[in-house]
Amino acid sequence: MKLRESTSAVALLCMVLAVPAQADVKAGVDAWTAGNFAAAVEEWKGPAVQGDPDAQFNLAQAYRLGRGVEADLGRAEALYAQAAASGHIRAADQYGLLLFQTGQREQAMPYIEAAAGRGEPRAQYLLGIAHFNGDLAAKDWPRAYALLTLANGAGMPQAAGALAQMDEYIPLEQRQQAQPLAASLKAEAEATRARELTAVDLALGKPPTAGDAPQVVEKPQPVTVAKAEPTSTPAPIARAVQPKPPAPRKTAHEATGPWKVQLGAFGVPGNSERLWSRISSRGEIAGRERIERKAGNLTILLAGGYASKQEASAACASLKRSGQECLVTR
């Protein structure tokens, strides 16, 4: 299976404005909060040119959102990059997300990984799907499920849909492994963010803090979860599940006994195909004959070729221990 991207999550890009100590940059934040976006932009332009990372970040937000200036993603990207190079953590997070959005995914991944390591939910979402697909990161289903669990817990709307679809593919044992891993990743992220923010404060000569600087937050716009479409073309940022083509069917097992293990009954025939693709390589099933029977509108999936009831029962019992329901039949 494959996760595809959707432009719907672009609306979740952070709308946080940093409030620095410099008076004119603070005046810009006050103007922005009052809805006077053009005045805010004018306040930030001078400090941004002089290298103030808070002004660069805030001005980048304005160019990305098209408030007070015409929207210009290229200009926003350049300003995010400048602020990130000065150690502005939120700018680095935004920079990675914007790179990913504009198709520069390989370049974006180091920033996505770092942001996920600080607990950024959109980055956790993208990195989790990369680990699931094995395209932009090493395939690691427990870590993928853990990252999506954290993103879902942070309120990322796409995460719930992706987790539900992953449930169809990731074995129960690996989903169980993901739960303590998610707790560990969350604790590590909190420690990392506190440590990095403190390091930035010290570098800038500010008193150390354990959290973000004061900030103005705008409510994210609602998003729509993209549905899985096997033939759809990937689009930027939010990624949802898309099944890979089914694996080739296994040939009949050498033992051609009459006993079978029934694996499920499906109202949608494609679900039978997906289940077989997911479990047919398991030792209890590998090499067995795939059998489908029709019962009204249902498609019944079985694995055949067991020489005895005892052999089929042992295979079924092993499958049940891993969370796969089944029953023995002839």
Side-chain angles (χ1 to χ4, degrees):
M1 71 187 289
K2 180 82 171 174
L3 297 176
R4 67 182 178 85
E5 299 121 9
S6 163
T7 54
S8 59
V10 175
L12 283 179
L13 291 176
C14 180
M15 299 182 184
V16 176
L17 300 178
V19 181
Q22 195 167 356
D24 48 359
V25 181
K26 172 65 165 61
V29 174
D30 292 339
W32 182 279
T33 304
N36 194 345
F37 304 126
V41 167
E42 290 304 314
E43 293 284 0
W44 294 330
K45 283 183 178 178
V49 171
Q50 294 168 11
D52 186 291
D54 288 315
Q56 291 167 340
F57 173 73
N58 291 345
L59 192 56
Q61 297 286 75
Y63 275 110
R64 184 180 58 77
L65 297 170
R67 294 183 181 176
V69 289
E70 287 191 17
D72 187 337
L73 290 184
R75 181 64 178 145
E77 180 182 317
L79 285 162
Y80 284 136
Q82 291 171 16
S86 298
H88 197 292
I89 290 176
R90 291 193 297 279
D93 293 352
Q94 271 301 87
Y95 182 51
L97 291 166
L98 187 56
L99 287 173
F100 196 97
Q101 176 195 347
T102 55
Q104 303 171 74
R105 298 177 187 174
E106 289 77 12
Q107 185 179 346
M109 287 312 295
Y111 293 94
I112 297 295
E113 291 176 7
R118 290 188 288 266
E120 213 296 327
R122 296 157 298 168
Q124 289 172 332
Y125 178 81
L126 293 175
L127 182 59
I129 292 174
H131 279 303
F132 181 83
N133 286 340
D135 51 5
L136 296 169
K139 181 171 285 190
D140 187 335
W141 281 8
R143 183 169 292 270
Y145 203 86
L147 287 164
L148 265 292
T149 298
L150 292 175
N152 184 53
M156 184 75 184
Q158 287 81 1
L163 281 171
Q165 291 174 295
M166 284 184 181
D167 286 341
E168 300 180 16
Y169 297 86
I170 299 180
L172 177 62
E173 181 182 358
Q174 292 187 18
R175 282 180 273 150
Q176 291 172 335
Q177 293 171 7
Q179 301 313 309
L181 178 57
S184 175
L185 290 175
K186 183 177 181 180
E188 290 175 8
E190 291 172 351
T192 298
R193 187 169 188 87
R195 183 175 63 253
E196 291 186 2
L197 285 170
T198 299
V200 171
D201 285 342
L202 290 172
L204 297 177
K206 300 178 183 178
T209 62
D212 289 334
Q215 48 190 271
V216 176
V217 181
E218 295 196 16
K219 184 178 180 181
Q221 298 298 312
V223 298
T224 302
V225 178
K227 295 182 179 179
E229 296 290 346
T231 59
S232 61
T233 302
I237 256 199
R239 310 178 90 191
V241 175
Q242 179 181 3
K244 290 181 179 178
R249 297 185 181 184
K250 302 289 184 179
T251 58
H253 194 268
E254 290 182 1
T256 57
W259 290 92
K260 304 172 184 65
V261 173
Q262 182 174 316
L263 302 169
F266 306 91
V268 179
N271 288 340
S272 170
E273 184 81 46
R274 283 193 287 273
L275 177 61
W276 185 262
S277 296
R278 179 162 61 87
I279 69 172
S280 60
S281 61
R282 291 179 58 103
E284 305 92 333
I285 304 296
R288 301 288 175 177
E289 180 185 7
R290 174 182 170 174
I291 301 170
E292 287 187 345
R293 294 175 178 169
K294 292 292 184 180
N297 293 327
L298 294 178
T299 299
I300 299 174
L301 175 65
L302 308 99
Y306 295 91
S308 65
K309 182 178 180 180
Q310 290 77 12
E311 184 184 17
S313 296
C316 185
S318 178
L319 289 169
K320 285 182 176 179
R321 285 194 294 271
S322 69
Q324 173 60 49
E325 293 300 319
C326 58
L327 59 88
V328 174
T329 184
R330 290 195 65 163

